[in-house]
Amino acid sequence: AAAGKATQEGWGGLMDEKRGTPSGSFYCADKGKVLYAGTRLQVHAKTCTKTAALLGGVAGASLADVCGRRITLMIYLAVSALATVLFAFGAGDPSGGPTLYLVGNFLQGLT
C-alpha cells in the first residue's frame, strides 16, 4: 500500500491502515503486473462493448420494426439501468468486480 502501514486481511488482499481501504492485491507494488492486468481487463471490456453494439444494433432495429419504438426504448432503458447496477456492485466486490465490469460493458454496448 502506498500510504500507511499495510496489514493482511481475510479476503486475501492488503488493508491500508491509514486510509482504511483495500489495496487490491499482494502485487499492488508490482507496477508491471498492475498495468498488465488493467490493460487486459480494458481490452476485454472494449471487445465486449463493440461486439454487443453490433448485436444490439441489429436486434434493436428488428425489435423496433416488430414491436414499435416505445417498447424498444423501454427495453434499452432497462438494459442500461441493469448495466449501471452491475457497475455499482462490481465496484464493491473485489473478487467478482472484473466479471461484473465485463458483463456491464456488454450490456452497455447493447444500448
Side-chain angles (χ1 to χ4, degrees):
K5 184 179 168 188
T7 59
Q8 181 71 35
E9 290 296 313
W11 59 272
L14 293 173
M15 184 65 77
D16 184 349
E17 286 182 351
K18 186 173 183 180
R19 293 187 192 142
T21 57
S23 67
S25 75
F26 292 115
Y27 303 109
C28 67
D30 189 345
K31 188 176 181 179
K33 287 183 181 181
V34 171
L35 290 174
Y36 173 73
T39 302
R40 203 170 119 220
L41 181 62
Q42 187 60 34
V43 166
H44 288 309
K46 185 62 93 174
T47 303
C48 284
T49 303
K50 294 300 180 182
T51 302
L54 289 172
L55 298 173
V58 173
S62 301
L63 189 64
D65 285 343
V66 173
C67 299
R69 291 180 290 174
R70 183 172 293 159
I71 299 223
T72 304
L73 176 65
M74 292 299 166
I75 291 171
Y76 271 47
L77 288 174
V79 169
S80 182
L82 180 60
T84 304
V85 168
L86 288 177
F87 286 135
F89 281 127
D93 182 16
S95 61
T99 303
L100 293 174
Y101 179 69
L102 291 176
V103 173
N105 269 289
F106 182 82
L107 292 175
Q108 194 174 42
L110 287 175
T111 58

